[in-house]
Amino acid sequence: MRRYFFFILLGTSLTGAAPGPKPHPQIAGVVSEISAQKIEASIRKLVSFGTRHTLSDTTSEAHGIGAARRWLQAEFERYAKDSGGRLEVTMDEFTQPPGERNPQPVQVVNVVATLPGEQAEARDRIYVVSGHYDSRVSDPMNATADAPGANDDASGVAAVLEMARVMSKRKWDATLVFMAVAGEEQGLFGSTHWAKMAQEKNWNVAGMITNDIIGSSHADDGKIDDQHVRLFAEGVPPLQEMPAKWRQQTKTGGENDSPARELARFIKTTGERYVPGMTVNIIYRKDRYLRGGDHSPFLEAGFAAVRLTEPNENFKHQHQDVREEEGVQYGDLPEFDDFAYIAQVARINAASLGALALAPAAPAGVEMETKELTNDTTLHWQENREPDLAGYEVLWRETTSPFWQHELSTGQVTRFTVPRISKDNFLFGVAAVDQDGNRSPAVYPAPSAK
Ligand SMILES: [Zn+2]
């Protein structure tokens, strides 16, 4: 009896932490089913094609990028069978005109597996997760030398395959797109093609995660860190001409509340809740210093997109000819991958994508009321019509804090006042919540004309 009483106390007041939403059993199931062994097998298979250079052989069944993509297609199709035919596999093929890193036109193929959402009102909302299956050595034009690309980026592709395998057996409200793209190393060809197509077709890509170099927990100085992953998230893009939406965002101090950074906060909170022991380090930058990846074209197309990468890159194992020099092994070999670590990063992805695809859409038309000068804060937004909607939450934090500090449930309303908390002193966001407690990412309010 005494012990029971103590437990209750510990569980409620002594920790001081606000109770987070309960883990969703379907997401917990996905996280526990992700297998490091399956990821290792996929990486070793991808490495076995010798090179996956975008300009490499496409006709051999055992060697080059053509064999690699046919294997990827067959893998996705296997999962499609297990999904009861719900997972749809397509080869998104196009001709890339000649450019700096492809003197001849080249056929580029993205291998894409789409799991349509089960809820009619949410099916148009799409979340994309990607890795790039092409690889390279020291010379970006060398299409014949062995380019194992075990980390860059078989690690990301293997994680995407594993997510597709586990998540496609289950049902989600919104649509999930699992993508292995090509042409990354030659100039982001595959991701650019798909992101532009999505923009032209007006698809609602509500979030995108690219996994690129998530393979190693060993730093070049020998330190081991298998408990962190870097999440790169852009704020306001450095455009020559600032569009009105970004001007409005910066005018009100919202430079850290771009959709990509709201997505990053969501991934950190969700990933860390479902994968204990892992920390997601958000970096307020589009990518590593002056470098790029497959999330870049999605950002340029106006979608919220972020990049996951291991904590410490080893440049002896990246974009290098496989060789030994003065007793040092160079090259992107599978022996430098940590398959258990990659599985942890895949779990962070899967938990986040699952939570996004079960949650309602982030509220639209979120505005801060500014007509009257007051020390209260009033926000309004458009009604969300998804059938499982429970209501909304208003979140806020100090302007110097990176993460939400306070939240209030509003119930089923589309206008809410937080009394005695001034918009002058805090940053606000509004999220939508469903009946199971799944919460959308937050939306930064635009100042209302009214
Ligand atoms: Zn890469």
Side-chain angles (χ1 to χ4, degrees):
M1 200 61 203
R2 211 184 151 87
R3 187 174 292 169
Y4 178 71
F5 184 61
F6 178 68
F7 178 76
I8 297 284
L9 263 181
L10 197 72
T12 54
S13 58
L14 295 188
T15 62
K22 269 188 289 177
H24 193 286
Q26 180 160 319
I27 298 173
V30 159
V31 166
S32 69
E33 210 176 310
I34 284 180
S35 151
Q37 287 75 30
K38 289 264 188 327
I39 286 170
E40 175 174 358
S42 296
I43 290 173
R44 292 194 187 279
K45 184 68 190 181
L46 286 164
V47 169
S48 79
F49 297 110
T51 177
R52 306 185 305 278
H53 193 280
T54 299
L55 311 181
S56 66
D57 185 13
T58 59
T59 54
S60 161
E61 276 313 311
H63 196 88
I65 193 162
R69 66 186 171 230
R70 287 188 288 279
W71 177 75
L72 287 167
Q73 180 185 24
E75 277 301 287
F76 279 132
E77 276 168 359
R78 236 161 32 87
Y79 313 152
K81 229 175 251 165
D82 293 342
S83 77
R86 290 179 306 122
L87 187 70
E88 299 160 4
V89 187
T90 55
M91 300 296 258
D92 170 36
E93 188 168 351
F94 62 97
T95 306
Q96 179 72 27
E100 209 180 311
R101 287 188 177 180
N102 61 312
Q104 307 299 324
V106 59
Q107 285 301 106
V108 178
V109 184
N110 299 321
V111 191
V112 183
T114 303
L115 187 68
E118 297 288 329
Q119 190 185 81
E121 293 82 355
R123 190 169 299 138
D124 291 349
R125 181 158 42 95
I126 300 167
Y127 299 99
V128 177
V129 62
S130 84
H132 70 85
Y133 70 95
D134 61 312
S135 65
R136 59 166 282 192
V137 290
S138 304
D139 172 3
M141 299 308 292
N142 185 338
T144 53
D146 266 357
N151 191 353
D152 185 10
D153 183 32
S155 65
V157 173
V160 169
L161 282 173
E162 184 60 358
M163 282 179 246
R165 183 183 76 83
V166 172
M167 296 185 83
S168 63
K169 296 178 197 166
R170 296 166 167 89
K171 294 181 175 175
W172 311 91
D173 291 353
T175 292
L176 293 168
V177 175
F178 306 92
M179 199 182 290
V181 304
E184 197 271 354
E185 304 288 8
Q186 307 312 109
L188 310 178
F189 297 161
S191 53
T192 302
H193 177 260
W194 201 93
K196 275 194 178 154
M197 177 200 63
Q199 185 183 28
E200 277 159 21
K201 291 187 173 172
N202 245 324
W203 285 359
N204 176 15
V205 179
M208 186 272 185
I209 308 174
T210 190
N211 287 269
D212 197 353
I213 313 176
I214 57 163
S216 173
S217 54
H218 287 56
D220 52 353
D221 65 357
K223 276 202 200 84
I224 297 177
D225 178 358
D226 57 6
Q227 301 187 336
H228 292 86
V229 64
R230 289 182 291 169
L231 177 57
F232 292 90
E234 186 177 52
V236 178
L239 302 170
Q240 203 69 268
E241 302 262 319
M242 193 180 255
K245 79 165 183 180
W246 291 120
R247 197 189 313 281
Q248 212 168 43
Q249 182 113 8
T250 48
K251 226 181 189 173
T252 54
E255 52 271 19
N256 291 321
D257 287 66
S258 63
R261 288 195 179 156
E262 302 293 16
L263 177 63
R265 287 183 187 102
F266 182 94
I267 294 170
K268 180 178 174 67
T269 312
T270 310
E272 291 177 2
R273 181 186 310 138
Y274 283 98
V275 193
M278 285 296 285
T279 300
V280 177
N281 283 341
I282 297 177
I283 297 175
Y284 278 176
R285 185 169 278 151
K286 182 183 190 174
D287 203 316
R288 299 146 312 150
Y289 203 88
L290 292 180
R291 298 176 71 196
D294 287 319
H295 59 314
S296 305
F298 281 79
L299 284 163
E300 280 152 28
F303 304 131
V306 296
R307 171 187 184 131
L308 285 168
T309 297
E310 66 194 23
N312 300 289
E313 286 166 85
N314 184 333
F315 301 105
K316 290 191 183 76
H317 303 156
Q318 193 177 119
H319 301 182
Q320 291 281 356
D321 293 335
V322 179
R323 68 192 190 279
E324 219 186 284
E325 236 172 60
E326 292 168 7
V328 178
Q329 181 68 56
Y330 287 77
D332 192 351
L333 297 163
E335 66 210 62
F336 302 124
D337 272 349
D338 177 341
F339 306 109
Y341 173 75
I342 301 167
Q344 290 287 75
V345 178
R347 289 181 186 113
I348 285 173
N349 276 272
S352 304
L353 290 164
L356 287 165
L358 288 178
V366 179
E367 291 186 331
M368 175 76 77
E369 297 190 5
T370 57
K371 197 178 151 204
E372 282 173 40
L373 289 175
T374 158
N375 286 311
D376 300 336
T377 294
T378 300
L379 297 141
H380 60 246
W381 52 88
Q382 287 163 20
E383 189 186 356
N384 176 314
R385 294 183 188 279
E386 287 164 67
D388 55 340
L389 186 90
Y392 307 88
E393 276 175 8
V394 172
L395 304 107
W396 68 97
R397 64 182 203 272
E398 287 167 61
T399 60
T400 51
S401 168
F403 307 121
W404 299 115
Q405 295 169 313
H406 309 277
E407 59 192 55
L408 264 182
S409 289
T410 71
Q412 290 245 25
V413 297
T414 56
R415 185 170 185 268
F416 191 77
T417 298
V418 186
R420 307 310 297 168
I421 302 288
S422 169
K423 63 184 165 298
D424 298 338
N425 305 338
F426 296 92
L427 293 162
F428 284 84
V430 182
V433 189
D434 76 2
Q435 285 153 5
D436 291 335
N438 299 304
R439 187 168 86 183
S440 76
V443 176
Y444 184 75
S448 166
K450 292 184 282 183

